[in-house]
C-alpha cells in the first residue's frame, strides 16, 4: 500500500520536474541544433538535430568574388566561422571577461569591509545603514538607469569600460549576503585576531575572507552570470564604439538583414557565448547549489 | 610575567551598569579565578583587562604601566576563548605561527612570497619555528601540527588554543571559560593539566568561569562576582569556609548551602525554623536572620532529641561514597540537602519524616541585608551547652 502511493508520488514529482526541464532545455536544444544546420534546413525545419551536413555554398563568399571551391563548406563549419568572422566575437568575449571580472573584484573589495562593519563593528547608526542596504535591494536597476546614464554622460564616461563597470561596483546584494554570512562567524575569532595584533583591515582580508570563501563563490556566481548575460546596461552606455561591446550586445550583429536570416551563425555565436557559463556551472555545480541554499544557512 | 591591577573600573552600556567600580590586585604568577553566574560582569572584566573593551572609568595597570589607551595586541597578554577561536583556514602550525609573525615581523617580512626576500626574515622565522616546536612539545600536540582545526576533537582544539597563547610567552594568560565546551570527563582532566601548566610556566593566569568547582579546584585566589561587584576575594578555602555574603555562600559549594530562615533576639540567641541553634550573636540584636549550613554540616538523627529540625525525605541521591538526602522542610523554599555516609542514612526511607541537626560551630549566619553576622566564640557556647 505504502509502496504504491510512493510510486505515484514519485511519478508525479518526476513528471513535473521533467516538464520543467524540457521547458528550460528546449531553447538550448534549438540553439545548439540551429548552430549545426544549414540555412535551408533551419528554414524548412528538417534534418533532425545535426542536419545532413551536406556541402553548402556561402553566398556572401561568392559575392565577395572568391573562387567557388573556397566558398563550399559544411554548414557546421560555415556557422562557426561566420560567427567569428562576421563580428569580432573574440574581442567581445574578452570584453565580457574583463568587465565581469573587474566588476566582481571591485564588488568584493567594497562588500567585504562593508559587511564586516555592518556585522561586527558597533557604531552609531549601524542599524540605519543596514536598513538602507536592505532598502537598496528593493530598487530595480531599470529605475535608476536614466539618471545613471545622464551622470556618466556628464562626466564623459559613456562608451568606456568605466561606464560598464562603475555602476555595478557597489553591490548591495553582495553586502547583504556577506553580512549575513559574517553574522555566523563567532566574535571570539575576531577578538583572537585583535589579540594577535591584526588591524581591522587585516582581519577582513586575512580572517574573514578565507572563512567566507563559500559565500564569496556563491556571490561570484550570481554576479558573473548577471553581468556576463547583461544586455540592458551595455546597450544603454555603449552607443557607438563597437570595440567595447560585450557578448550579448555582439549578438545584435547577427540580426536579420537584407541577405536573409543568419540564424546559423547567430546561434553558433550564442553557443560560444553561453559555453563559458555552462562550463563554470558544471565545474562549480556543488558550490552553486550550496550558495543558493546559503542565505538560509546555519 | 607581570601583575595586573584594576582600580575602580566601571563599565556602563547606555544606562545599563555592568561593573560598579572593580578593584582587583592580581599578583605576578598568581592563578586568579573570576567566578559568578552569567551576566555578573566577569567576562566584561576580563575583556577590559585584555583591551577588547574599554572601561567607562577607572584604570587598568599591567606590570605597573597604565594601559588604558594601549591596544590589545600591545598589552602583551594572551587570551584563550571558550570557542577556542582558532583560524579555521589555517593548519595548527600556522595558527601557532601567526601571532608570532604579527608580533615579531615587520610589514615587509610578512608579505606572502615577497616577504622571503626581506632581510632578517630567515632568522626570525627559525626562532618562531623553535618557539612553536617547544610549545607543541609541552602540550603534546606535535602530531597535530599539519591538521586544520576542523579535523581536531574538542580536547585537541583546546590544547591548540592553549598553545597559541603559550607561544607568545605573554605577561599573563586570560582565559574565558576555556573548559565549558568539553565533556565532563575531559573537563576534570584539563583542570589538572591547566593547574600543572600554571605551575610549569609560573605565569599570571586570570581565569573566568561560571563553574564554582573549577574556581575551587584550580585557583590561588578566587573573586566571586555578582551584579557587577566583587563580593569576596580570597583563597578558595577561605571563600568556602568563610563566605562574607549570603550570595557567595549559596553560589560556592555543590550542593549549595542550606539557608534556614531564623531570628535573633536581644540576648543574642539564635533560632532557625523555630529551633534554638547552639550559637550566639556577638552583637545581640533582634530581627530576622538567615542561618546557613553546608550539606556536610547537617546530620540526620534517628530520633528527635528536642533540638532537631524535621522534614520529609523526598529523594535519596546515592553517589556511592556519599548519599545526598533531599528533604522537604516547612519554611524553606526548595529542598534542604544533607550529605551523609550511606550507612548513616540506612534507616531513613523516602517518604518518611526524618530529624536532623546542624553541626555545632558550623552555622553561617547572615543578616537581613545578606551580609555575614559575627557570632560569639563557639568555644564559649559549647561550654555553656
Amino acid at each position: 500500500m505504502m509502496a504504491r502511493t510512493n510510486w505515484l508520488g514519485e511519478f508525479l514529482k518526476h513528471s513535473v520536474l521533467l516538464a520543467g526541464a524540457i521547458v528550460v532545455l528546449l531553447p538550448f536544444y534549438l540553439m545548439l541544433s540551429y548552430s549545426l544546420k544549414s540555412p535551408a534546413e533551419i528554414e524548412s525545419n528538417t534534418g533532425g538535430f545535426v542536419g545532413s551536413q551536406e556541402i553548402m555554398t556561402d553566398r556572401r563568399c561568392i559575392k565577395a568574388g572568391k573562387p567557388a571551391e573556397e566558398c563550399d563548406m559544411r554548414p557546421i563549419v560555415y556557422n562557426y566561422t561566420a560567427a567569428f568572422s562576421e563580428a569580432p566575437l573574440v574581442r567581445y568575449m574578452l570584453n565580457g571577461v574583463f568587465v565581469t571580472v573587474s566588476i566582481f573584484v571591485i564588488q568584493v573589495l567594497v562588500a567585504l569591509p562593508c559587511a564586516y562593519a555592518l556585522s561586527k563593528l558597533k557604531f552609531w547608526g549601524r542599524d540605519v545603514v543596514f536598513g538602507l542596504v536592505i532598502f537598496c535591494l528593493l530598487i530595480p536597476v531599470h529605475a535608476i538607469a536614466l539618471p545613471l546614464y545622464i551622470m556618466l554622460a556628464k562626466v564623459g564616461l559613456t562608451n568606456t569600460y568605466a561606464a560598464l563597470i562603475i555602476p555595478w561596483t557597489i553591490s548591495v546584494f553582495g553586502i547583504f549576503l556577506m553580512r549575513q554570512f559574517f553574522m555566523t562567524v563567532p566574535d571570539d575569532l575576531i577578538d583572537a585576531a585583535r589579540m594577535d595584533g591584526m588591524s581591522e583591515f587585516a582581519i577582513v582580508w586575512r580572517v574573514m575572507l578565507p572563512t567566507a570563501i563559500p559565500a564569496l563563490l556563491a556571490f561570484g556566481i550570481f554576479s558573473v552570470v548577471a553581468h556576463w548575460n547583461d544586455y540592458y546596461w551595455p546597450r544603454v552606455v555603449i552607443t557607438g564604439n563597437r570595440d567595447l561591446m560585450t557578448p550579448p550586445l555582439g549578438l545584435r550583429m547577427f540580426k536579420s538583414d537584407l541577405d536573409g536570416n543568419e540564424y546559423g551563425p547567430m546561434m553558433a555565436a550564442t553557443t560560444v557565448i553561453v559555453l563559458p557559463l555552462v562550463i563554470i556551472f558544471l565545474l562549480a555545480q556543488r558550490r552553486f547549489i550550496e550558495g543558493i541554499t546559503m542565505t538560509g544557512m546555519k | 610575567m607581570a601583575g595586573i591591577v584594576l582600580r575602580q573600573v566601571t563599565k556602563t552600556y547606555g544606562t545599563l551598569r555592568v561593573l560598579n567600580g572593580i578593584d582587583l590586585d592580581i599578583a605576578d604568577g598568581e592563578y586568579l579565578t573570576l567566578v559568578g553566574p552569567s551576566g555578573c560582569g566577569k567576562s566584561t572584566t576580563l575583556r577590559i583587562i585584555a583591551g577588547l573593551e574599554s572601561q567607562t572609568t577607572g584604570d587598568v595597570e599591567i606590570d605597573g604601566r597604565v594601559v588604558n589607551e594601549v591596544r590589545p595586541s600591545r598589552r602583551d597578554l594572551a587570551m584563550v576563548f571558550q570557542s577556542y577561536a582558532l583560524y579555521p583556514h589555517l593548519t595548527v602550525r600556522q595558527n601557532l605561527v601567526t601571532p608570532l609573525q604579527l608580533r615579531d615581523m615587520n610589514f615587509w617580512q610578512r608579505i606572502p612570497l615577497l616577504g622571503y626576500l626581506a632581510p632578517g626574515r630567515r632568522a626570525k622565522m627559525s626562532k618562531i619555528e623553535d618557539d612553536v616546536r617547544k610549545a607543541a612539545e609541552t602540550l603534546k600536540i606535535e602530531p597535530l601540527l599539519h591538521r586544520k582545526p576542523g579535523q581536531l576533537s574538542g580536547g585537541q582544539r583546546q590544547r591548540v588554543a592553549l598553545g597559541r597563547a603559550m607561544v607568545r610567552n605573554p605577561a599573563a594568560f586570560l582565559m574565558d571559560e576555556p573548559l565549558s565546551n568539553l565533556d565532563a570527563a575531559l573537563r576534570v582532566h584539563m583542570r589538572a593539566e591547566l593547574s600543572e601548566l600554571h605551575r610549569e610556566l609560573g605565569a599570571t593566569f586570570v581565569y573566568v568561569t561560571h563553574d564554582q568547582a573549577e574556581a575551587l579546584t584550580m585557583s590561588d585566589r578566587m573573586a566571586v562576582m555578582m551584579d557587577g561587584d566583587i563580593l569576596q576575594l580570597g583563597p578558595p578555602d577561605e571563600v568556602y569556609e568563610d563566605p562574607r555574603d549570603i550570595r557567595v555562600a549559596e553560589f560556592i559549594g555543590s550542593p549549595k548551602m542550606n539557608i534556614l530562615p531564623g531570628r535573633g533576639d536581644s540576648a543574642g540567641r539564635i533560632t532557625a525554623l523555630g529551633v534554638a541553634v547552639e550559637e550566639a550573636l556577638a552583637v545581640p540584636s533582634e530581627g530576622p536572620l538567615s542561618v546557613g549550613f553546608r550539606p556536610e554540616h547537617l546530620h540526620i538523627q534517628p530520633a528527635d532529641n528536642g533540638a532537631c529540625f524535621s522534614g520529609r525525605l523526598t529523594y535519596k541521591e546515592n553517589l556511592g561514597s556519599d548519599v545526598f538526602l533531599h528533604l522537604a522542610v516547612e519554611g524553606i523554599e526548595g529542598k534542604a540537602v544533607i550529605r551523609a555516609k550511606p550507612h548513616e542514612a540506612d534507616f531513613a526511607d523516602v517518604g518518611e519524616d526524618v530529624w536532623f541537626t546542624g553541626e555545632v560551630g558550623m552555622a553561617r549566619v547572615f543578616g537581613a541585608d545578606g551580609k555575614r553576622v559575627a557570632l560569639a566564640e563557639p568555644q564559649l557556647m559549647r561550654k555553656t551547652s
Side-chain angles (χ1 to χ4, degrees), chain B residues 23-233:
Chain B
D23 281 302
L24 197 57
D25 194 338
I26 305 165
D28 185 7
E30 186 175 26
Y31 195 137
L32 182 114
T33 304
L34 298 171
V35 64
S38 51
C40 70
K42 54 190 193 300
S43 287
T44 309
T45 309
L46 194 74
R47 292 170 60 81
I48 286 173
I49 295 174
L52 293 171
E53 237 155 291
S54 54
Q55 64 272 32
T56 310
T57 60
D59 290 322
V60 179
E61 269 180 31
I62 297 171
D63 207 7
R65 184 170 64 113
V66 176
V67 292
N68 295 348
E69 305 297 324
V70 179
R71 285 174 46 180
S73 54
R74 296 286 165 81
R75 295 191 181 194
D76 194 20
L77 303 170
M79 192 150 167
V80 179
F81 294 88
Q82 183 179 353
S83 62
Y84 316 133
L86 300 170
Y87 301 123
H89 59 288
L90 300 179
T91 63
V92 169
R93 199 188 70 84
Q94 289 166 324
N95 262 289
L96 298 185
V97 166
T98 304
L100 295 179
Q101 283 186 328
L102 284 163
R103 187 188 64 187
D104 297 340
M105 289 186 168
N106 61 31
F107 177 76
W108 300 109
Q109 290 165 335
R110 286 205 308 264
I111 296 176
L113 296 177
L114 271 182
Y116 287 95
L117 303 174
R121 187 182 193 278
R122 184 173 292 186
K124 278 185 186 169
M125 202 59 211
S126 75
K127 168 143 190 345
I128 287 173
E129 296 283 356
D130 265 1
D131 291 345
V132 168
R133 202 174 313 118
K134 263 183 231 152
E137 266 170 36
T138 314
L139 291 167
K140 305 186 188 68
I141 51 172
E142 297 124 301
L144 310 176
L145 284 176
H146 295 288
R147 296 211 207 149
K148 290 204 172 161
Q151 301 163 307
L152 302 179
S153 70
Q156 290 170 330
R157 277 183 225 179
Q158 177 61 61
R159 275 164 198 282
V160 175
L162 274 174
R164 185 169 67 168
M166 263 174 61
V167 282
R168 302 180 61 181
N169 196 16
F173 289 80
L174 310 179
M175 308 205 183
D176 191 1
E177 311 224 4
L179 304 186
S180 307
N181 283 0
L182 301 178
D183 63 61
L186 200 54
R187 204 179 310 160
V188 173
H189 174 74
M190 284 304 287
R191 272 189 219 162
E193 280 210 6
L194 271 179
S195 300
E196 229 167 88
L197 190 68
H198 174 244
R199 247 198 327 280
E200 241 171 75
L201 299 175
T204 313
F205 275 40
V206 185
Y207 188 99
V208 162
T209 180
H210 64 268
D211 182 350
Q212 49 91 29
E214 283 178 16
L216 287 172
T217 48
M218 295 196 285
S219 37
D220 295 332
R221 282 196 303 160
M222 58 195 275
V224 184
M225 291 188 69
M226 249 168 247
D227 304 326
D229 286 305
I230 294 182
L231 295 182
Q232 189 166 358
L233 173 64

Side-chain angles (χ1 to χ4, degrees), chain A residues 3 14 47 82 86 93 97-98 115 131 149 155-156 161 180 185 191 198 242 247 254 269 276-277 281 295 298:
Chain A
H14 280 86
E86 290 290 298
M93 303 267 287
V97 169
F98 177 71
Y149 174 76
V155 286
Y161 282 122
Q180 295 309 92
V185 176
D191 284 338
M198 287 193 199
R242 289 189 173 187
F254 297 96
L277 289 188
F281 175 77
T295 25
K298 280 185 188 171

